[in-house]
Amino acid sequence: MIARKIRIKGIVQGVGFRPFIHRLAAEFDIAGFVLNDTEGVLIHAEGEPENVGRFVDAIPEMAPKPAHIAKIASEPVSILGRADFRIIPSEHREGEVTAISPDLATCEDCRAELFDPGDRRYGYPFINCTHCGPRYSIIENLPYDRPATSMSPFAMCQNCLAEYRDVQNRRFHAQPNACRECGPKYDLFDLAGLSVRCDDPIVFACEMLRDGKIIAVKGIGGFHLIADAANGEVVGKLRERKERPAKPFALMVRDIETVRKLCEVSDREAAILSSPAAPILLLKIKKSPALELPDNIAPGLDRLGIFLPYAPIHHLIFALSGIEILIATSGNKRDEPVSCQNDEALRDLKDIADAFLVHNREIVGRTDDSVGFVFDNELTIVRRSRGYVPRPVEMPISGASILAVGADLKGTFAMTRGSEAFLSPYLGDLTGEKSLELFDEVLSRYLKWLNIAPEAIVCDLHPDYASTILAERLAAEWGVPLFRLQHHAAHGISVIAEHKLPDKPALTVALDGYGYSSDGTIWGGEFLSVRHGGFERLAHIRHVPQPGGDRAAVDTRRMALSWAFEALGEKVIERIPDLLDDLSDLAGPLLSMIRCRRPPLTSSAGRLFDSVACLTGVCSRNTFEGECPQRLTAAADMFEMGHYEFATTDSILDPSPAIRRIIEDCSAGIDKGIIAARFHRGFARGIVDMAHKLAGDNGIGDVLLSGGVFQNPILLELVVKGLRGRGLRPYWNRIVPAGDAGIALGQALFGKKRFNSK
Ligand code: ZN
Ligand code: ZN
Ligand code: FE
């Protein structure tokens, strides 16, 4: 006989881990005990040496799907002579900190029961077990016990309580355990907030969906606006009511087989769609799909945002409505966080929805659906919310507790404890009051959970960011130092943080729309040398005027004219007559601003993409962030292998030669798809050339790719391949977004380094 102590860290509480260990112990004839404590799960196992060894090996291999084992360590201990294996109840102490699980999609067992007429939870929309159900979204306090969640008003009935107390049951200590007798319920409200008289609110809502109505449905982390995706008219109505002319709508699709009728789906993509996190994945639309959808769902784009039903209510809606594909877009006002309270939804969505399918369980932690795409066979996150938060990101260094407040447009903060960074869910555009309130609310909950007081704060260099102003206020209130970090350096350091790279110079290529710098120009096409605690600018995309400032980010004709002038000078007048015609009265004043290089000047890669989209006639207005670039990429015919030349000097990557050729090719009537492909290939080559040269000059081997432009999978692939071809080591964001929602992680590492070396 031998005995071992096994310590497991990670997300191992509230995911059915102890019952799993209990079963496993029985299988391998192991005696001892298992318990939850502040660090995770602790096991004492004794038995035949061979059995104990196999038991330890089986833990990570057979762990329940929603568990996330960060670390497992075992060591020999003395034999206690236990007769059996037991689950020892945890003793929760004041201020205890355990890793809170993200919300988990309905598991297969619960789904089977949901549709089993003989099961007592047949058709019950809040069915869950220790392997699935809400977690983050219902937890108010720690330790994670029912009274600390929004399930506290629902007292378990005798049947539920028996399951909850039975070690062998799948619902042993499942905090949200409930049934029709004792749990939350759905109700259907009309626009006045009055309960609609009907036999069954869900059945009635499904009839409305079939009739082409838009229903606001309260789910796990907030409200969705749901409608029949096959009905082009209702999609159009939703666009009008949401004042959203072109931004693509996410689709919730009945099952993976139906997804395959619409899009190309790899095994990896199928696995991620069906994972407990159930994110929205951006999937390539099939050349000839087996199902036709109206063209106003994702106009001009080659990818669809798709997710599978992840809550029991979603499964029920598909079953009861018979609809295969639903529009399921966040129930929010533009750029605001998703609505999650019943009265709030009734107020905010009354001009959009036709009815409200609500329930009486409060959503404590509001989350949007997460978004990502698969690149290099790995999930690459674009929006990190439901299913991922509050799972921490492990950083390369430990030390002080840092609050990093992120950037404004994609509000997200990071709070660190030890070497872990806990990122908030996506909070919306922080220039809006509701988002700022949410920031405060989530921050105070995180501080309570983590039981720490921040020792320093990091914000962006931008003096007018709402997040900066907030950081200044908090720093004064708490009496802690405030560090400021340039936007693109933060992008680069976020890559260092998630790949746990050592503190030595790495070359960052940060491409995005806009970032503040103290030199008075707009940065957005940057080559920086960064390390944990600082950065240096090495090169950038050539500066051009951005006539009209922010207006040029929406009306991309302004930037197109600016780049055309940069490339051709006064010859623009005869070379781009169509654009000048289109600008009509605006052309003169714009040209004079451009001629005298009136500030602001910009090195933005986003604005460069905008310009090419406009010059080629693909798209001339960003009705949502990234619209023109995304449409240009969707238009690109990548069978075309040609490229446009970019010029490089020591510190400037100059697109002017490419712009000249684009204008020539456009007047020669060359296909847009070919021009778009040559631009992508040329730009990628330019980036790789520049990076190669700078890396060589500075003795650097690691190249970090970040910024929203790298959420473009075609550009990312070309650059990654190009860098590898030159013997460099590229790294890019995966766990946190390459866009501004990932900035907080970079700020957090920077803050740690700065504080530690103080
Ligand atoms: Zn389940
Ligand atoms: Zn019950
Ligand atoms: Fe950015």
Side-chain angles (χ1 to χ4, degrees):
M1 293 277 281
I2 59 156
R4 292 190 85 83
K5 183 174 98 178
I6 305 148
R7 146 77 53 211
I8 304 163
K9 292 184 182 181
I11 293 174
V12 288
Q13 296 186 8
V15 290
F17 210 84
R18 287 172 303 166
F20 152 71
I21 293 294
H22 190 269
R23 285 192 297 273
L24 205 61
E27 202 173 307
F28 291 105
D29 206 14
I30 301 288
F33 59 83
V34 56
L35 58 86
N36 277 350
D37 66 6
T38 53
E39 291 180 69
V41 164
L42 187 70
I43 303 167
H44 175 90
E46 48 191 58
E48 299 290 335
E50 197 194 329
N51 285 350
V52 173
R54 282 164 61 204
F55 171 73
V56 174
D57 290 345
I59 294 171
E61 273 166 36
M62 298 174 67
K65 217 174 173 189
H68 180 79
I69 296 180
K71 212 179 206 170
I72 177 162
S74 94
E75 58 181 81
V77 286
S78 43
I79 294 171
L80 299 173
R82 292 270 175 166
D84 58 1
F85 194 92
R86 287 188 181 193
I87 297 178
I88 297 183
S90 28
E91 291 166 29
H92 289 302
R93 289 188 303 270
E94 193 66 26
E96 176 177 10
V97 179
T98 49
I100 293 170
S101 165
D103 298 315
L104 307 165
T106 309
C107 74
E108 270 167 48
D109 290 340
C110 285
R111 235 172 99 183
E113 290 171 357
L114 182 64
F115 292 110
D116 173 5
D119 193 274
R120 71 185 191 93
R121 290 192 182 81
Y122 177 58
Y124 180 58
F126 296 90
I127 188 169
N128 68 85
C129 72
T130 49
H131 301 142
C132 75
R135 299 287 186 276
Y136 171 83
S137 63
I138 59 166
I139 299 175
E140 178 67 59
N141 284 308
L142 284 176
Y144 171 51
D145 271 330
R146 192 166 176 113
T149 70
S150 59
M151 284 301 291
S152 62
F154 306 97
M156 269 184 267
C157 67
Q158 284 309 315
N159 284 332
C160 286
L161 203 56
E163 294 166 336
Y164 182 87
R165 287 181 177 154
D166 175 7
V167 160
Q168 299 295 342
N169 197 285
R170 208 171 86 243
R171 300 198 164 89
F172 175 69
H173 280 200
Q175 305 304 345
N177 190 27
C179 73
R180 211 183 285 280
E181 295 302 308
C182 64
K185 289 179 174 41
Y186 268 95
D187 198 353
L188 188 66
F189 286 173
D190 63 15
L191 295 183
L194 299 171
S195 194
V196 176
R197 286 181 51 187
C198 58
D199 291 338
D200 183 322
I202 302 173
V203 171
F204 197 87
C206 287
E207 276 167 24
M208 291 184 75
L209 283 172
R210 273 203 306 268
D211 285 347
K213 297 287 193 285
I214 299 165
I215 312 286
V217 179
K218 187 176 178 182
I220 300 295
F223 275 79
H224 277 127
L225 289 160
I226 289 186
D228 181 0
N231 183 340
E233 218 171 290
V234 70
V235 179
K237 193 163 72 179
L238 184 55
R239 287 217 172 278
E240 241 168 67
R241 292 187 188 172
K242 240 194 154 197
E243 293 169 44
R244 180 161 153 167
K247 192 174 178 187
F249 285 130
L251 300 178
M252 175 158 67
V253 178
R254 190 178 59 184
D255 49 35
I256 193 79
E257 290 71 37
T258 312
V259 179
R260 289 186 200 280
K261 291 182 188 167
L262 293 169
C263 295
E264 309 284 352
V265 188
S266 69
D267 290 350
R268 187 89 183 104
E269 286 165 333
I272 293 167
L273 285 170
S274 329
S275 70
I280 296 175
L281 274 194
L282 300 166
L283 298 173
K284 189 114 179 128
I285 301 172
K286 276 196 163 158
K287 281 270 175 309
S288 36
L291 274 176
E292 281 292 331
L293 282 178
D295 49 18
N296 52 356
I297 287 173
L301 300 180
D302 59 343
R303 294 190 294 174
L304 286 173
I306 289 185
F307 66 99
L308 293 175
Y310 58 79
I313 185 69
H314 302 153
H315 292 292
L316 289 172
I317 289 174
F318 280 113
L320 295 170
S321 70
I323 295 172
E324 289 187 297
I325 306 170
L326 289 162
I327 299 272
T329 183
S330 289
N332 61 351
K333 291 211 243 172
R334 200 184 168 116
D335 298 327
E336 277 194 357
V338 62
S339 305
C340 79
Q341 308 306 352
N342 294 352
D343 52 348
E344 175 191 17
L346 281 164
R347 189 183 63 230
D348 291 352
L349 308 176
K350 67 175 187 308
D351 299 327
I352 307 175
D354 295 309
F356 296 81
L357 189 58
V358 302
H359 61 68
N360 57 345
R361 180 175 69 202
E362 195 198 335
I363 294 173
V364 179
R366 181 193 307 249
T367 50
D368 288 85
D369 293 319
S370 294
V371 183
F373 61 94
V374 168
F375 176 77
D376 210 30
N377 212 34
E378 290 277 357
L379 174 64
T380 305
I381 285 281
V382 173
R383 182 166 73 202
R384 190 173 183 274
S385 276
R386 180 191 48 77
Y388 298 99
V389 293
R391 184 180 295 169
V393 181
E394 184 72 24
M395 298 196 293
I397 57 171
S398 194
S401 299
I402 306 291
L403 169 65
V405 298
D408 266 21
L409 289 180
K410 299 269 178 295
T412 311
F413 68 76
M415 186 63 236
T416 75
R417 185 192 63 191
S419 58
E420 294 173 319
F422 295 81
L423 277 84
S424 74
Y426 168 66
L427 303 168
D429 179 348
L430 293 183
T431 51
E433 205 162 302
K434 193 169 159 187
S435 301
L436 264 185
E437 277 170 24
L438 182 63
F439 190 112
D440 265 343
E441 182 194 312
V442 180
L443 177 61
S444 45
R445 204 155 354 106
Y446 272 46
L447 292 178
K448 194 167 65 180
W449 287 346
L450 298 169
N451 193 25
I452 45 173
E455 293 163 90
I457 303 178
V458 188
C459 66
D460 197 87
L461 212 53
H462 199 309
D464 302 328
Y465 266 176
S467 54
T468 302
I469 294 162
L470 179 80
E472 285 166 348
R473 176 169 67 75
L474 292 175
E477 229 169 76
W478 297 340
V480 299
L482 176 64
F483 303 116
R484 296 168 201 265
L485 176 60
Q486 200 279 328
H487 188 95
H488 301 94
H491 272 308
I493 299 172
S494 77
V495 182
I496 295 185
E498 70 166 82
H499 290 275
K500 299 199 267 298
L501 298 174
D503 188 13
K504 62 170 197 205
L507 180 69
T508 292
V509 185
L511 306 180
D512 65 3
Y514 169 87
Y516 184 88
S517 106
S518 48
D519 72 5
T521 66
I522 293 172
W523 289 21
E526 308 307 314
F527 296 81
L528 315 172
S529 167
V530 301
R531 47 194 303 164
H532 291 183
F535 79 102
E536 183 191 345
R537 193 188 204 194
L538 301 176
H540 57 85
I541 292 177
R542 179 169 168 175
H543 282 143
V544 287
Q546 182 168 325
D550 286 346
R551 260 172 297 169
V554 177
D555 180 355
T556 61
R557 298 173 307 174
R558 291 165 176 260
M559 284 311 300
L561 186 62
S562 187
W563 268 114
F565 187 87
E566 199 70 16
L568 298 169
E570 292 300 335
K571 273 187 258 165
V572 280
I573 312 279
E574 67 238 36
R575 304 297 288 282
I576 49 165
D578 291 352
L579 180 61
L580 291 167
D581 252 15
D582 192 47
L583 283 163
S584 71
D585 288 353
L586 212 55
L590 281 178
L591 269 174
S592 53
M593 284 160 90
I594 293 165
R595 266 190 204 106
C596 68
R597 291 184 80 73
R598 174 125 142 234
L601 297 179
T602 182
S603 56
S604 168
R607 300 292 82 81
L608 175 64
F609 264 90
D610 283 351
S611 308
V612 176
C614 177
L615 288 169
T616 49
V618 168
C619 184
S620 62
R621 200 172 179 80
N622 283 317
T623 67
F624 61 91
E625 193 197 13
E627 178 175 4
C628 291
Q630 284 179 41
R631 289 174 80 147
L632 181 70
T633 303
D637 172 5
M638 296 312 290
F639 286 112
E640 164 63 25
M641 298 304 286
H643 72 275
Y644 298 125
E645 214 60 61
F646 280 58
T648 45
T649 68
D650 278 351
S651 61
I652 305 287
L653 176 61
D654 183 4
S656 317
I659 298 287
R660 275 194 290 278
R661 289 291 312 279
I662 289 167
I663 293 170
E664 272 168 35
D665 282 359
C666 286
S667 0
I670 291 181
D671 181 73
K672 292 171 191 179
I674 306 244
I675 299 175
R678 289 177 182 166
F679 168 72
H680 280 80
R681 291 192 190 280
F683 190 26
R685 274 173 174 253
I687 292 164
V688 171
D689 284 346
M690 192 71 184
H692 182 242
K693 192 174 73 65
L694 294 171
D697 292 352
N698 293 276
I700 293 175
D702 295 343
V703 183
L704 320 175
L705 310 173
S706 192
V709 171
F710 280 113
Q711 287 170 349
N712 174 335
I714 292 182
L715 188 75
L716 180 58
E717 184 176 354
L718 291 170
V719 172
V720 164
K721 276 192 181 153
L723 292 170
R724 284 185 180 147
R726 303 283 185 93
L728 294 163
R729 288 181 304 275
Y731 294 92
W732 58 93
N733 294 107
R734 272 181 176 152
I735 309 176
V736 301
D740 286 2
I743 281 217
L745 182 67
Q747 293 175 341
L749 176 57
F750 174 81
K752 260 189 196 304
K753 177 69 187 175
R754 277 301 178 88
F755 191 88
N756 290 357
S757 58
K758 237 179 31 157

